[in-house]
Amino acid sequence: MVPMKRLTRRGLLACGLLGATAVHGAERTVLQLAAFPLVDEIARAALPVWRQMHPGVDIQIVSRQYADHHTAMTTALSTSSLLPDVMALESSFVGRFAQGGGLEDLAQPRYDIGRFRSRLVPYAYDQALGRNGAVVAVPTDIGPGTMLYRQDIVARAGVDPEDLTRSWASYIAAGQLIKRSTGAYLIAHVSEIKDILLRTGIQPGEGMYFDQDSRVLVQSERFVRAFELALQVRRLGLDARVNAWSNEWAEGFKRGSLATELGGAWLVGQLSNWVAQQTAGLWRAAQLPEGANAGYGGAFYAMPRRAAPERKALAWQFIQLMTLDRERQLAAFKTHDAFPALLETHDDAFFEEPVAFLGGQKARLLWRVAARRISAARVHKQNGFADEVVGSELDQVLKRGKPIRTALQDAARLLERRAHR
């Protein structure tokens, strides 16, 4: 392991990056971090270590709910006002902001993030790469994709758990048997299947919706298959037609009316801590069907390009503490289920410990394998709009019987108008 270097105040001054207030003691330096729930708690837990490193520097954590936080960061970057020194970002926003030029390029010599590349999960590092080679953020945690299934429901239906993952066809066939035998739905909503299939088979240089030259990809066979399988599951009555994070979704887990869920490994923590605590021991984890590999979110740290220059060296030190320090990464994993992006944590014995909520299964070993297999897709500045357009067209297919290829053709037409904006 390459240890994180701690710069002295003299070294920071030599780099021209530390304000004089921290040196002469006229007043304490305050570094502001803007974050969202769980990331804020993880950062707060690191403050005693930070104070040992920098006794004269306080960290002010400004926390907002997830949507409010990212809206505030979007506004701050576009107006260059009320900028924090460090901002936490969810992975999808990193990709969008990478194209805008509002974030500091950490590939610059004074940061040289490239020297740490081999220490980070490859796909997570690549998510922060801009088209011009800039690296705008450092990953702190990731969400390897996994299938969670209720082993009691599966057993009652006489389904072999391997049938859930062998192929999408066997997954759907197992769902029919589960529904017929137990009345439980296979999945909450078919959009979960669509989302995985859209992330499967992306070619090098492509994004989910656009290629590197902003050509629209939504009429490809990847999209056709995703829509076809989603429609098949809906017609068979295998999804509960409830959206993730809704009250109905949570009730489905509590009542045992949902047999499987496709999502990030962090979902185990959500289920065990608040969504469905009473179902502890009934769930198991597996890889996604048909060998699919998908990442579900993850948190990054970034610095606004126009933030106070005199505090940027300290901001970079804080980011390194949160992303490149083995103990900090493991602490976040053990207390908040934040799967670490730092590879040198992956040999820790904690990965081999049984997960009580999963009936003692050593599921973290599965997720570690998945993390290495995921590849990053290029993120286009219009990805958010594309998500809405494709989701809307899927609704037209599911609810109104719109032909799949017509729906994708209409989606492509809309996206082509926005591709180069």
Side-chain angles (χ1 to χ4, degrees), residues 132-317:
N132 59 356
V135 182
V136 298
V138 188
T140 182
D141 62 67
I142 59 175
T146 190
M147 171 190 286
L148 301 180
Y149 65 91
R150 279 283 296 263
Q151 61 85 23
D152 57 328
I153 294 174
V154 169
R156 201 161 10 123
V159 169
D160 185 336
E162 290 188 5
D163 291 338
L164 295 171
T165 59
R166 186 176 299 112
S167 68
W168 285 107
S170 67
Y171 175 66
I172 293 170
Q176 290 178 276
L177 184 54
I178 289 169
K179 182 74 182 298
R180 192 163 56 243
S181 303
T182 70
Y185 292 101
L186 177 63
I187 199 167
H189 199 282
V190 294
S191 61
E192 297 176 25
I193 295 173
K194 178 264 293 181
D195 288 343
I196 291 175
L197 287 166
L198 292 189
R199 289 165 170 79
T200 303
I202 295 175
Q203 299 303 307
E206 289 184 350
M208 192 183 306
Y209 302 109
F210 305 91
D211 70 9
Q212 58 191 356
D213 298 314
S214 290
R215 285 189 289 261
V216 178
L217 303 173
V218 300
Q219 295 186 81
S220 68
E221 288 305 308
R222 175 162 54 92
F223 281 79
V224 173
R225 188 182 186 217
F227 273 47
E228 285 177 344
L229 284 178
L231 179 59
Q232 182 185 0
V233 171
R234 173 60 57 85
R235 284 177 171 170
L236 291 170
L238 300 182
D239 77 316
R241 304 190 185 194
V242 298
N243 294 318
W245 308 110
S246 65
N247 290 332
E248 295 81 6
W249 177 82
E251 284 300 312
F253 291 123
K254 293 173 183 175
R255 296 174 182 173
S257 60
L258 297 175
T260 75
E261 178 70 353
L262 309 174
W266 43 261
L267 184 58
V268 172
Q270 301 292 322
L271 291 176
S272 63
N273 291 326
W274 66 276
V275 176
Q277 294 171 305
Q278 64 272 42
T279 63
L282 300 178
W283 292 91
R284 299 294 183 271
Q287 302 291 19
L288 295 171
E290 211 170 87
N293 295 296
Y296 287 81
F300 288 71
Y301 285 101
M303 290 190 289
R305 187 167 57 85
R306 295 186 181 276
E310 68 272 15
R311 293 193 295 274
K312 283 194 174 179
L314 286 169
W316 177 229
Q317 285 279 289

Side-chain angles (χ1 to χ4, degrees), residues 382-400:
Q382 296 294 350
N383 264 25
F385 179 67
D387 280 335
E388 295 176 11
V389 170
V390 170
S392 177
E393 288 299 335
L394 179 61
D395 282 342
Q396 291 292 318
V397 170
L398 297 175
K399 298 176 181 178
R400 303 184 186 280

Side-chain angles (χ1 to χ4, degrees), residues 77 83 97-104 303-307:
L77 289 174
L83 289 167
F97 292 165
Q99 313 304 329
L103 297 177
E104 189 81 1
M303 290 190 289
R305 187 167 57 85
R306 295 186 181 276

